[in-house]
Amino acid sequence: MAGTPLAFWRKAGVVGALMLSAFGFNTTENLPIGLLRLMAEDLDVSSQSVGYLVTWYGLTVALASLPLAHVTRRTPRRFVLSGVLAVLFLSSVLPALVSSYGLLVVARVATALAQALFWAVMGPVAVGLFSPGVRGRVIGALSVGGALATVAGVPAGNWLGRRTDWQVPFGMLSVMVLVALVAVAVLLPTTRPEEGHAAYGAEPDARRFAGVLAVTALSVTGVFAGFTYLVDFLQDVGRFSGDAVSGLLGVFGLGGFVGVTVVGPLLDRFPRATLAVPVAVQAAALLALYADAHDKVTVSVALAVLGTAVAPVFMAAQSRVLRVAPGRTEIALAANSAAFNLGVAAGALCGALVLHVLAVRETFLVGGLLSVAALMILGAETLLPAPAPAPVGEGGAVRPGEPLDAVP
């Protein structure tokens, strides 16, 4: 942070704690998917009721991201991050100790509110600890933590829950979150949130920022238009067995981990390509799933390729927002997070409408076309004039007068 030189081990400790936090939030969000039947049987509710825990979680994040980022824009980030991690810890302990659907709903809402704020402030905090030239690599490292939730967190939670009880994985998560909470509270200095180069966009441009939001929303809508109904597609159209479907889902998750690991180090050198290429690959994979849906080899390869593209899209969009945000970056990142979660909900709805009119195979055609539309927006961005560097004041912050809540 500006004016607060930190030892490298302390910076690395903060980044490690934030990676662990991202892993915890993403695992908590999706854990009910892996434990759906166990939770439904123990809580004496329907599988749909447990599924709603995931649906409403995403909608809560989408609706709360911008308001919470605005309300806390003057609060030191050490206090904000410690607070959201404390909420995540308590909301993980609660379901681990009490078997109640009502209390679980309360815990999920609290966690979703905390996650909405976490994604808005995590990036600027971590990036602000290092020089501007490595901001993309820092975002890439944080994204690895989130991607591991799909590869390891949810499968491990499913494995542990089946051999013990569905509440045990939540208890294990609470221990990891407590470690991250202590690390952030001890290692992160208390500074004003508007200090440092990461508080504002390096190349503020409202039009490019709007373009990133559109790309995020369209690409995510495209993915979830088909992915929401992937199991039905694989079994009914691809004729895969249940075990094969589980394996393919694991391959998709592993592809996401590989994608963020490979693309992350390239974000600083190729800020446009690291967003455009994954969107293009995503579009190609979705269209391939539609075009050759009955060929098991094509479907398997396309699904693996889709996994390597989907995760880097959001990571590259976050990195791009840090560059072109027309004001405070946490507000801009909150807007991008809201666009992402709205895309999830819109994609599921879009897929449902396609299913009603056509069939499950066509959901991937629609998803591919939406992804092509996102790619066209990125192409149109090259026609815009180059943005001017942000005016820098004392401490590396943008001078008052910038839009989007630039004045602290």
Side-chain angles (χ1 to χ4, degrees), residues 315-343:
M315 175 185 67
Q318 294 286 83
S319 179
R320 188 73 176 144
V321 165
L322 283 172
R323 184 180 296 271
V324 301
R328 287 280 289 271
T329 50
E330 76 271 19
I331 303 295
L333 288 170
N336 194 55
S337 179
F340 179 91
N341 284 279
L342 286 173

Side-chain angles (χ1 to χ4, degrees), residues 140-165:
L142 297 176
S143 298
V144 169
L148 279 173
T150 305
V151 179
V154 175
N158 175 270
W159 180 88
L160 184 61
R162 290 184 180 279
R163 283 155 180 79
T164 54
D165 185 87

Side-chain angles (χ1 to χ4, degrees), residues 26 51 89 99 119 153 155-156 182 351 357:
N26 280 5
F89 170 72
S99 181
W119 289 121
V182 171
V357 177

Side-chain angles (χ1 to χ4, degrees), residues 50-70:
V50 178
Y52 290 150
L53 296 175
V54 178
T55 302
W56 288 109
Y57 190 106
L59 288 176
T60 300
V61 173
L63 295 174
S65 293
L66 272 171
L68 288 177
H70 181 78

Side-chain angles (χ1 to χ4, degrees), residues 211 214-215 218-219 279 282-283 366-380:
V215 169
L218 278 173
S219 62
V279 171
Q282 171 183 304
V366 172
L369 295 176
L370 288 170
S371 301
V372 170
L375 190 62
M376 292 174 65
I377 292 175
L378 284 172

Side-chain angles (χ1 to χ4, degrees), residues 382-403:
T382 60
L383 303 177
L384 297 175
V392 179
E394 183 178 356
V398 174
R399 293 169 183 158
E402 290 295 321

Side-chain angles (χ1 to χ4, degrees), residues 113-394:
L113 292 173
Q115 179 166 330
L117 189 53
F118 174 77
W119 289 121
V121 302
M122 173 189 68
V125 166
V127 167
L129 295 172
F130 299 88
S131 65
V134 298
R135 63 172 56 194
R137 275 170 278 182
V138 175
I139 291 295
L142 297 176
S143 298
V144 169
L148 279 173
T150 305
V151 179
V154 175
N158 175 270
W159 180 88
L160 184 61
R162 290 184 180 279
R163 283 155 180 79
T164 54
D165 185 87
W166 70 264
Q167 294 169 288
V168 174
F170 285 96
M172 296 295 292
L173 268 177
S174 69
V175 175
M176 289 188 288
V177 172
L178 183 60
V179 172
L181 169 59
V182 171
V184 167
V186 172
L187 299 178
L188 188 64
T190 304
T191 56
R192 298 180 64 192
E194 68 272 14
E195 293 179 356
H197 66 84
Y200 299 89
E203 301 171 357
D205 190 311
R207 291 172 298 178
R208 282 181 168 80
F209 172 64
V212 174
L213 295 186
V215 169
T216 296
L218 278 173
S219 62
V220 174
T221 301
V223 168
F224 279 87
F227 191 77
T228 304
Y229 307 97
L230 178 64
V231 173
D232 289 343
F233 171 80
L234 292 175
Q235 292 182 333
D236 297 342
V237 182
R239 303 299 179 186
F240 287 92
S241 66
D243 290 340
V245 169
S246 298
L248 287 173
L249 291 175
V251 169
F252 177 88
L254 181 60
F257 174 73
V258 172
V260 297
T261 303
V262 171
V263 175
L266 303 176
L267 290 171
D268 296 306
R269 294 178 59 192
F270 308 105
R272 287 193 180 92
T274 46
L275 181 56
V277 171
V279 171
V281 171
Q282 171 183 304
L286 289 169
L287 293 174
L289 286 168
Y290 164 75
D292 212 358
H294 297 289
D295 186 272
K296 291 186 175 182
V297 174
T298 299
V299 170
S300 301
V301 173
L303 193 59
V305 171
L306 182 64
T308 64
V310 170
V313 168
F314 183 66
M315 175 185 67
Q318 294 286 83
S319 179
R320 188 73 176 144
V321 165
L322 283 172
R323 184 180 296 271
V324 301
R328 287 280 289 271
T329 50
E330 76 271 19
I331 303 295
L333 288 170
N336 194 55
S337 179
F340 179 91
N341 284 279
L342 286 173
V344 173
L349 176 60
C350 179
L353 294 174
V354 173
L355 276 175
H356 182 70
V357 177
L358 300 170
V360 68
R361 179 180 177 182
E362 278 70 26
T363 62
F364 290 90
L365 172 61
V366 172
L369 295 176
L370 288 170
S371 301
V372 170
L375 190 62
M376 292 174 65
I377 292 175
L378 284 172
E381 181 188 319
T382 60
L383 303 177
L384 297 175
V392 179
E394 183 178 356

